[in-house]
Amino acid sequence: MAGGSGGALAVDAEVVIVGGGIAGLATALALRRVGVGGVLVLERHSELRATGAALTVYPNGWIALRALGVAHKLTSRYEGCGIFRVTDLENGETKVFRFAGRESSDEIKVRPADRKALLEALAEELPPGTIRFSSKLVSINTETAKSSPETAVLRLDDGTVIRAKVLIGCDGVHSVVARWLGLSEPVTSGRSAVRGLAVYPDGHGLKKEVWQFLSEGLRAAMVPINNTEVYWFLVNNTVAAEKEARTDPVKILREVTDNLGRHMPPDYLDVVRHSSHDSLSWVPLLYRSPWAILTGPTARGPVTVAGDAFHPMTPDLAQGGGSALEDAVVLARAMSRAATPAEGVAAYVSERRGRAALLVAGAYLSGWVQQGGTDVQGLRGCMVKLFRDWIFYKYIFRRLAGMMWYDCGHLLPPTSNEKGKNHSE
């Protein structure tokens, strides 16, 4: 590290990760696990920021967390959920699904978790100074010295200039790094999601199950995280009221209870009314075209993207967090095995493109069908619902659920006597 001209700070780093969310922290930790030093995480906020309050982590996410060495820190705090109840509010019918395990490990289950707890579990494993807060990236360039590999040159809003041998964009849906690479912008799904965390100081008394409710143009769910907190969401076809209400917690709650969700069961509305105001959000659901993920410029030399910056998807398979954790493990493993950073990045992209595109397509299909189509009415709407009830849930949903058991593998190559065995803490 050295001072630059005009008083600007100049920093050299082996790897710079833009974004201190799940993807960024997991990638930093994965690289540390394979022995990569000099990793710097740039987070534009002043502290770890947990947008979304909570998330449901499926087996593929826990397998990745186990490879990262932090799964045990969270599974001891959050119980597993094995029963999913889906109620069609238009006819009152409830379907019950059991999420049976493929692995005889108590650790590998579906578990809701507090998003901030996950971020803290990852951050605690990183050396002090790894995360640089209040660091907003404003521009990216590259430079190539004679007989030296390409270097990424980053400029921050405070004038700092950082030179990095590897640049990984984990900066979310509106990624600066993805835009620099030339990836297409995410597009709207025509739907939005309200999310919140209900708090019951004396306990909520709900069973440890996932409840989902469907009605025309709506999909809502609630799941207890522990004895006092319940995570809930409501996905709706985008409405005009959203723009005005999304920054005002009181208006968000009023819109859900008095308008969008007025036909929801009393138990669900009670959960909504118990929401902590600082946990509420209402955002449009965006995704990147699967074709763009398969064919787009997701890497350039030693520069690539991970998590939502790579494959933003709708939350209908609850795979945003899990897929980001997978990315981290695969990327670090590829980097540890490659002769050069650019080769490692290329190997990572090659391995992840197909699965990422499949997850994005599966999530979009799942959400669109379960809500009865987006702004689809009349005969077409009836056909979508028949497809949902008679084909989707019986055949397609089970295949989509199978994708949630994906094993991203070890971070380090197994020794000869470990081949075929699952990694353990």
Side-chain angles (χ1 to χ4, degrees):
M1 181 181 297
S5 61
L9 185 65
V11 178
D12 293 322
E14 290 293 316
V15 181
V16 170
I17 298 170
V18 182
I22 293 174
L25 297 184
T27 300
L29 178 55
L31 289 169
R32 180 168 188 253
R33 296 292 192 226
V34 298
V36 176
V39 177
L40 179 64
V41 178
L42 304 179
E43 169 53 46
R44 64 190 182 94
H45 294 97
S46 59
E47 60 183 1
L48 293 179
R49 187 166 177 263
T51 302
L55 73 165
T56 304
V57 183
Y58 281 80
N60 61 309
W62 292 112
I63 291 170
L65 286 168
R66 188 172 61 182
L68 291 168
V70 297
H72 66 285
K73 297 168 67 174
L74 296 162
T75 54
S76 60
R77 295 175 57 180
Y78 303 106
E79 296 180 26
C81 293
I83 297 178
F84 293 67
R85 300 183 185 276
V86 181
T87 300
D88 186 337
L89 297 178
E90 294 178 26
N91 59 26
E93 181 182 354
T94 296
K95 290 181 171 64
V96 179
F97 301 91
R98 295 185 181 276
F99 203 82
R102 295 183 183 177
E103 185 177 328
S104 59
S105 168
D106 186 58
E107 189 178 79
I108 306 304
K109 293 181 177 180
V110 180
R111 300 173 192 266
D114 182 276
R115 189 177 293 264
K116 191 168 186 179
L118 172 56
L119 293 177
E120 290 172 345
L122 295 168
E124 288 167 358
E125 300 295 312
L126 298 174
T130 299
I131 307 172
R132 189 183 193 273
F133 292 104
S134 301
S135 299
K136 184 178 179 181
L137 176 64
V138 295
S139 71
I140 305 170
N141 289 293
T142 58
E143 61 183 23
T144 306
K146 203 169 187 180
S147 70
S148 297
E150 190 175 40
T151 300
V153 181
L154 316 179
R155 293 186 181 276
L156 308 186
D157 62 348
D158 64 358
T160 300
V161 177
I162 304 176
R163 286 175 171 81
K165 295 179 182 178
V166 180
L167 172 61
I168 305 168
C170 299
D171 45 341
V173 176
H174 303 291
S175 167
V176 175
V177 181
R179 192 173 298 122
W180 180 82
L181 285 170
L183 273 168
S184 63
E185 290 293 321
V187 296
T188 179
S189 65
R191 299 180 294 136
S192 302
V194 187
R195 299 179 177 95
L197 187 67
V199 180
Y200 293 79
D202 298 322
H204 50 67
L206 296 171
K207 292 182 180 179
K208 196 69 175 183
E209 299 176 353
V210 179
W211 286 270
Q212 182 170 295
F213 308 101
L214 305 174
S215 65
E216 185 172 350
L218 290 178
R219 187 172 73 87
M222 61 183 189
V223 53
I225 295 178
N226 49 42
N227 293 331
T228 60
E229 296 177 318
V230 183
Y231 172 57
W232 65 272
F233 67 80
L234 185 147
V235 179
N236 62 284
N237 293 339
T238 302
V239 294
E242 179 184 328
K243 283 187 177 181
E244 180 185 353
R246 68 172 54 155
T247 58
D248 187 332
V250 175
K251 289 182 179 179
I252 291 176
L253 288 179
R254 185 184 305 128
E255 189 67 21
V256 172
T257 57
D258 297 352
N259 187 11
L260 294 174
R262 65 184 182 277
H263 300 309
M264 292 293 162
D267 285 350
Y268 179 84
L269 293 177
D270 184 71
V271 166
V272 172
R273 293 187 179 102
H274 275 81
S275 296
S276 165
H277 281 197
D278 60 4
S279 73
L280 292 167
S281 64
W282 193 359
V283 297
L285 299 181
L286 307 177
Y287 70 99
R288 178 165 284 126
S289 159
W291 181 249
I293 293 170
L294 288 171
T295 64
T298 50
R300 187 199 300 183
V303 181
T304 190
V305 283
D308 284 345
F310 183 2
H311 42 69
M313 64 186 76
T314 61
D316 304 288
L317 290 181
Q319 282 301 303
S323 60
L325 294 168
E326 291 177 17
D327 286 347
V329 173
V330 174
L331 176 54
R333 184 172 60 235
M335 296 288 287
S336 71
R337 294 176 176 177
T340 67
E343 290 177 10
V345 164
Y348 153 73
V349 169
S350 177
E351 183 172 345
R352 291 301 292 165
R353 277 189 194 272
R355 175 160 171 81
L358 193 59
L359 285 173
V360 171
Y364 181 88
L365 174 66
S366 179
W368 190 86
V369 170
Q370 288 188 85
Q371 282 187 223
T374 303
D375 294 325
V376 175
Q377 300 175 346
L379 180 60
R380 290 179 61 203
C382 290
M383 291 176 66
V384 172
K385 291 173 186 176
L386 286 173
F387 174 79
R388 176 188 69 193
D389 296 336
W390 291 97
I391 298 177
F392 179 80
Y393 280 130
K394 289 184 179 180
Y395 305 106
I396 299 175
F397 184 74
R398 297 180 188 278
R399 290 186 176 273
L400 293 175
M403 295 166 60
M404 302 171 190
W405 288 94
Y406 178 82
D407 187 342
C408 61
H410 302 264
L411 267 176
L412 296 176
T415 60
S416 58
N417 62 348
E418 290 176 328
K419 288 181 180 178
K421 295 183 179 180
N422 287 322
H423 176 79
S424 58
E425 292 293 324

